[in-house]
Amino acid sequence: MSRNLKVLITLFSMTALYGVYYWGIPAIIDLPNNIDLIEQAVLKKSGYKISIQNPSLKMGLIPAIKIKADDFAILNDDNSKAFDIEKPYISIRLLPLIFKEIDIHDFSAENIQTNLVFDKDNKLKLGQYVIELPKEKATLKLSHARIHLNSYEINLNDKVQTKKISMNGQYLTIDNFENNNILIFQLLQKFKPARKKLLLSLILI
């Protein structure tokens, strides 16, 4: 076998493998047509009822997985939203996963709404779901993240003091989070009922 033929075979094999990665994986997963199975699996595994509208998945030119949707929500039993993300987009690099690290190359959303409840048993809940610390140590750690939210809202229904508190932010940007390194973020926050605004821009080391 000549050297040129070996090079051609190698190039063809690499092209074929890249084609399987770039087009084959999304076709095999077929996220839009398997979303019901995913929602049912999450409910069975975690107890959380979720809803994902019009999801899509594609692979990055460099090894990464990119997922976006019109909406992602965690639902209460009455189908009200405990947590909601409008137009989420996330890109996760794949190679760091080999070293049990999560590298969020980019995460963005139009709006995130979180509805918390502090009940009369002094339990903090996300909607109807009690928030508990994980009992087992996480196998993966977050090594890098870049986040941009156009707006966000955090609502707290304090049933002990019969008060409702709302925090509305016009934007939240985390330019560069690195584990044990530098965090740069900026936000504009409005508090209710006090209706005060706070512009915060920090660099944490």
Side-chain angles (χ1 to χ4, degrees), residues 131-136:
I131 298 175
E132 297 178 330
L133 294 175
K135 297 179 181 180
E136 299 179 358

Side-chain angles (χ1 to χ4, degrees), residues 31 35 51-57 67-73 81 84-90 108-112:
L31 187 58
I35 196 62
S51 170
I52 307 174
Q53 298 180 10
N54 298 323
S56 65
L57 180 151
I67 301 174
K68 65 179 181 179
D70 286 346
D71 190 84
F72 170 86
K81 294 179 178 180
D84 182 57
I85 309 177
E86 297 176 14
K87 295 195 177 300
Y89 166 83
I90 188 169
S108 63
E110 287 296 318
N111 182 64
I112 291 183

